Amino acid sequence: MQIHILTLFPQMFQSPISSGILKRAIDQKLVEFNIRNIRDYTHDKHHTVDDSPYGGGAGMLLKPEPIFEAVEAAKAEISPSGQAFRTSPEEAANTTPIILLTPQGRLFSQPIALELSRHSHLILICGHYEGVDERVRQHLVTDEISIGDYVLSGGELPAMVLADAIVRLIPGVLGSEDSPVDDSHTTGMLEYPQYTRPPVYRDWAVPEILLSGNHAQIARWHREQAISRTLERRPDLLGKANLNREERQLIDRLKN
Ligand code: ADE
């Protein structure tokens, strides 16, 4: 996968892509980051990227021209790369999501991360100042995403959040030992509690069932714990979770 990021602060991305799973994915050529500075697509002496809004109002808006040109440059570079490339370059350029990070976007979630992880290319635009000229929304971007109901000073941290959540879902990025299938939210529920050695620490013992070696009972315990934890912390998730009749009955018992 190629991830193109358009930003006014390219240096912010250096650290996140230089360690951990993102770095490993880059080293394994499973993902390539292409980070470009929106300011490089200005043509005036002062490299102006923003201007005041027509009709008045507080703050400055990102101008449309450098953003359109930076996206066009990214699209022109969309080329066969890595194993993720499954379409012709023309088709890839036309079907590539062009995502504006903005608090006005749809709320990011694990299903959205999974959907985006299936694309061979993504273009992420980091908004700034009070916002962007509306024509970017109307005529350039194909999607707008928010990472939560709060306002950050720019789209850079949200773009990193998306990149991290998406890249770890690309097949081959995580080893089988840290596979994402049991992750909180992948199952539609929060993850069950987990323990490692020692079996007793400061009088606190690991639940006996986990030491029993009975895999069927352990799997059942995991499922029950995930359900009770989700019920306690995020009951809103249970409405959408895929539960069988027995599990629904367990919820009713726990509620009582
Ligand atoms: N830019 C500023 N705040 C944001 C948010 N919550 N999500 C995405 N982009 C943003």
Side-chain angles (χ1 to χ4, degrees):
M1 172 188 277
Q2 268 183 4
I3 302 182
H4 294 260
I5 296 177
L6 278 50
T7 169
L8 290 171
F9 300 101
Q11 67 279 14
M12 282 182 74
F13 292 87
Q14 287 320 310
S15 170
I17 65 173
S18 318
S19 55
I21 283 171
L22 288 184
K23 176 170 191 310
R24 199 169 76 193
I26 295 167
D27 291 345
Q28 291 176 330
K29 305 216 178 312
L30 293 168
V31 67
E32 192 183 306
F33 281 88
N34 193 318
I35 297 165
R36 58 186 85 225
N37 193 334
I38 296 170
R39 208 175 285 283
D40 292 343
Y41 297 87
T42 55
H43 302 291
D44 63 312
K45 192 168 78 187
H46 301 290
H47 301 290
T48 312
V49 291
D50 59 335
D51 208 336
S52 49
Y54 278 118
M60 301 287 272
L61 296 181
L62 286 178
K63 291 162 65 62
E65 310 94 305
I67 300 181
F68 272 80
E69 287 187 34
V71 167
E72 281 153 13
K75 277 184 148 188
E77 257 179 45
I78 287 178
S79 55
S81 85
Q83 302 138 354
F85 199 82
R86 291 184 292 264
T87 51
S88 72
E90 295 74 30
E91 199 181 331
N94 290 330
T95 56
T96 295
I98 304 172
I99 302 168
L100 177 68
L101 283 311
T102 161
Q104 299 183 18
R106 61 184 176 133
L107 201 54
F108 191 51
S109 64
Q110 195 64 18
I112 296 177
L114 187 62
E115 194 269 308
L116 294 175
S117 75
R118 297 186 175 128
H119 285 269
S120 56
H121 302 78
L122 298 174
I123 299 177
L124 307 181
I125 306 173
C126 306
H128 249 275
Y129 305 112
E130 296 304 308
V132 299
D133 185 284
E134 188 64 18
R135 288 164 289 191
V136 169
R137 291 204 155 87
Q138 287 176 330
H139 303 294
L140 185 64
V141 308
T142 61
D143 199 355
E144 298 181 40
I145 292 182
S146 164
I147 62 161
D149 291 338
Y150 40 80
V151 179
L152 299 165
S153 49
E156 283 73 17
L157 292 171
M160 289 175 212
V161 167
L162 259 68
D164 189 292
I166 292 166
V167 169
R168 61 194 294 288
L169 296 176
I170 297 173
V173 168
L174 294 186
S176 57
E177 74 282 1
D178 44 11
S179 115
V181 288
D182 277 342
D183 282 350
S184 290
H185 299 296
T186 300
T187 57
M189 287 193 285
L190 302 184
E191 209 175 344
Y192 49 79
Q194 299 189 83
Y195 299 84
T196 183
R197 275 174 278 275
V200 180
Y201 175 65
R202 297 190 177 182
D203 284 351
W204 302 311
V206 171
E208 224 163 279
I209 190 160
L210 297 178
L211 312 176
S212 69
N214 184 330
H215 296 294
Q217 277 193 30
I218 292 173
R220 196 184 147 92
W221 186 86
H222 282 163
R223 189 86 178 146
E224 287 176 3
Q225 290 292 315
I227 289 172
S228 61
R229 179 158 283 197
T230 309
L231 182 63
E232 189 184 312
R233 301 184 181 189
R234 290 293 306 277
D236 57 300
L237 296 176
L238 285 172
K240 283 184 260 164
N242 194 1
L243 301 172
N244 60 32
R245 206 170 63 137
E246 204 183 328
E247 289 165 337
R248 294 264 168 223
Q249 284 167 352
L250 172 67
I251 293 177
D252 290 337
R253 278 205 308 280
L254 290 169
K255 277 185 183 162
N256 296 328

